[in-house]
């Protein structure tokens, strides 16, 4: 039997339901587990964590919206992730972690061999947490690290913390998706992020929706896109004080870059093009991908393509 998914949202979990979830994890019958906003007692949360530790089929774990609600639960999750070797995507959006909670969880995250996507949006994080997160974005060639990082709605992070993150992104060979929406970044931080984007060889998606930017930031980003070749494919600037004209200019330039890449990919003889296409498919399976819908700030749809070629669809809400 192929591994399946369990997705429950905003409901209290009975002991019988928890027992079934644990059985599925132990039997390696679950590839996606989403308990977004679910209510369960500490005893049942501990049972799920113990089953999670030995689960070898689980690729995506969604505990958004307050499921990890105490330091005790953070410790139990950390203990499970120290043993687990399969989780590729971990969603903790809307969990009251704080810097102290992330410090408890960080050693397990840093040593996890498969983790490539992490959502810590609205987790009450500050600059100390950023220092830990930067450790998950190792310099070029040091070791594998995160490919997708979400830090939406963490207003406790200061410009000093964001500058530290920008430096880490600039020197990371891994990060492809970075979601910083609904943080009070302002034009100064946006300028630092523009430098990071220009330096990064891999960053494809940058979400700056609702981050207090003005035309000053947009002009800097426009100059960056226009004059420096980057991997950037999507830049979300909605809900900022930026003129529609500047946003459209940036969008047009990014679209032109994609068209040029497609033209290069179709050049040459058929065998070489076929080989490149196959390599692209393998790379997509290894790294996954994210597409953000800027028209709905209350939710984001994440489509993760696993290493085995399975398509997993999960919805996370702020």
């Amino acid at each position: 039997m192929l591994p399946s998914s369990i997705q429950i949202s905003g409901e209290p979990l009975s002991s019988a339901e928890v027992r079934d979830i644990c059985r599925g994890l132990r039997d390696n019958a679950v590839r996606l587990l989403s308990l977004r906003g679910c209510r369960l007692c500490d005893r049942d949360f501990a049972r799920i964590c113990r089953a999670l530790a030995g689960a070898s089929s689980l690729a995506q774990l969604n505990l958004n919206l307050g499921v990890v609600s105490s330091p005790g639960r953070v410790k139990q999750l950390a203990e499970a992730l120290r043993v687990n070797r399969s989780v590729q995507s971990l969603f903790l959006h809307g969990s009251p972690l704080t810097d102290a909670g992330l410090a408890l969880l960080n050693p397990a995250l840093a040593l996890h061999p498969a983790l490539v996507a992490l959502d810590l949006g609205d987790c009450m994080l500050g600059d100390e947490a950023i220092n830990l997160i930067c450790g998950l974005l190792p310099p070029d060639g040091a070791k594998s690290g995160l490919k997708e990082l979400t830090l939406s709605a963490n207003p406790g992070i200061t410009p000093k913390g964001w500058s530290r993150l920008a430096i880490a992104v600039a020197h990371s060979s891994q990060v492809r998706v970075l979601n910083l929406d609904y943080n009070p970044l302002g034009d100064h931080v946006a300028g630092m992020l523009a430098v990071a984007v220009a330096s990064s060889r891999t960053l494809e998606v940058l979400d700056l929706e609702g981050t207090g930017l003005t035309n000053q930031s947009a002009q800097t980003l426009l100059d960056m896109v226009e004059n420096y070749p980057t991997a950037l494919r999507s830049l979300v600037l909605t809900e900022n004080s930026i003129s529609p004209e500047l946003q459209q200019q940036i969008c047009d330039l990014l679209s032109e870059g994609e068209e040029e890449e497609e033209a290069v990919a179709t050049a040459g003889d058929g065998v070489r093009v076929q080989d490149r296409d196959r390599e692209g498919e393998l790379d997509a399976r290894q790294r996954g991908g994210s597409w953000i819908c800027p028209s709905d700030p209350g939710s984001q749809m994440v489509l993760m393509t696993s290493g085995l070629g399975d398509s997993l669809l999960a919805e996370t809400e702020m």
Side-chain angles (χ1 to χ4, degrees):
M1 182 177 67
L2 293 175
S4 61
S5 66
I6 298 175
Q7 301 185 63
I8 308 173
S9 179
E11 298 180 8
L13 296 182
S14 67
S15 295
E17 289 173 317
V18 170
R19 183 172 60 251
D20 289 342
I21 291 170
C22 292
R23 182 183 299 115
L25 291 171
R26 286 193 298 268
D27 293 344
N28 293 317
V30 180
R31 187 160 183 80
L32 183 157
L33 175 61
S34 176
L35 304 177
R36 182 169 55 89
C38 290
R39 300 180 296 281
L40 67 166
C41 68
D42 289 342
R43 177 175 175 271
D44 285 340
F45 184 85
R47 290 169 60 193
I48 290 175
C49 285
R50 287 194 295 270
L52 164 65
S56 60
S57 65
L58 188 66
Q60 185 165 316
L61 178 62
N62 185 332
L63 300 176
N64 283 353
L65 302 182
V67 178
V68 185
S69 57
S70 67
R73 292 193 178 192
V74 174
K75 290 180 181 178
Q76 290 167 344
L77 178 60
E79 290 170 1
L81 291 174
R82 286 192 186 98
V83 180
N84 178 275
R85 290 291 180 270
S86 65
V87 172
Q88 299 172 22
S89 299
L90 176 63
F91 299 89
L92 299 175
H93 203 114
S95 302
L97 292 181
T98 73
D99 290 358
L102 187 60
L104 294 174
L105 192 60
N106 184 69
L109 300 180
L111 295 175
H112 199 285
L115 188 68
V116 293
L118 179 63
D119 186 342
L120 296 175
D122 195 17
C123 285
M124 304 172 62
L125 303 181
D127 288 356
E128 292 183 15
I130 287 292
N131 292 337
L132 298 174
I133 291 168
C134 288
L136 305 176
L137 307 175
D140 286 356
K143 61 177 182 178
S144 61
L146 294 178
K147 295 180 174 65
E148 301 182 20
L149 174 62
T150 296
L151 292 172
S152 313
N154 281 294
I157 301 172
T158 71
K160 180 180 179 181
W162 293 123
S163 65
R164 179 78 182 271
L165 179 69
I167 293 171
V169 170
H171 289 277
S172 170
S173 61
Q174 303 292 323
V175 180
R176 291 181 168 86
V177 178
L178 182 61
N179 300 315
L180 304 180
D181 47 313
Y182 298 101
N183 285 297
L185 303 181
D187 291 330
H188 178 63
V189 172
M192 292 186 289
L193 289 171
V195 174
V197 172
S199 302
S200 172
R201 295 177 297 175
T202 59
L203 189 63
E204 298 176 357
V205 177
L206 178 60
D207 189 348
L208 299 177
E209 180 177 5
T211 51
L213 308 188
T214 70
N215 284 343
Q216 176 183 331
S217 298
Q219 189 62 58
T220 300
L221 292 165
L222 176 62
D223 291 343
M224 179 268 296
V225 172
E226 190 171 22
N227 297 309
Y228 298 93
T230 72
L232 197 65
R233 297 173 180 269
S234 175
L235 177 60
V236 183
L237 295 173
T238 51
E239 294 196 28
N240 286 296
S241 298
I242 298 174
S243 69
E245 292 78 14
L246 277 174
Q247 293 194 48
Q248 189 61 50
Q249 283 181 276
I250 294 171
C251 181
D252 290 344
L253 285 170
L254 291 175
S255 298
E256 288 176 7
E258 285 191 31
E259 291 172 0
E260 290 175 1
E261 288 182 5
E262 290 175 1
V264 171
T266 55
D269 60 88
V271 174
R272 293 180 61 190
V273 171
Q274 184 179 10
D275 289 342
R276 281 195 295 271
D277 288 344
R278 185 179 297 113
E279 289 169 2
E281 291 171 3
L282 290 172
D283 183 60
R285 285 199 292 270
Q286 291 167 358
R287 77 187 185 201
S290 293
W291 289 264
I292 312 304
C293 178
S295 62
D296 183 4
S299 68
Q300 62 184 30
M301 301 296 294
V302 178
L303 176 64
M304 189 196 80
T305 309
S306 72
L308 296 178
D310 299 322
S311 292
L312 306 178
L313 183 62
E315 179 179 347
T316 62
E317 292 188 357
M318 293 183 183

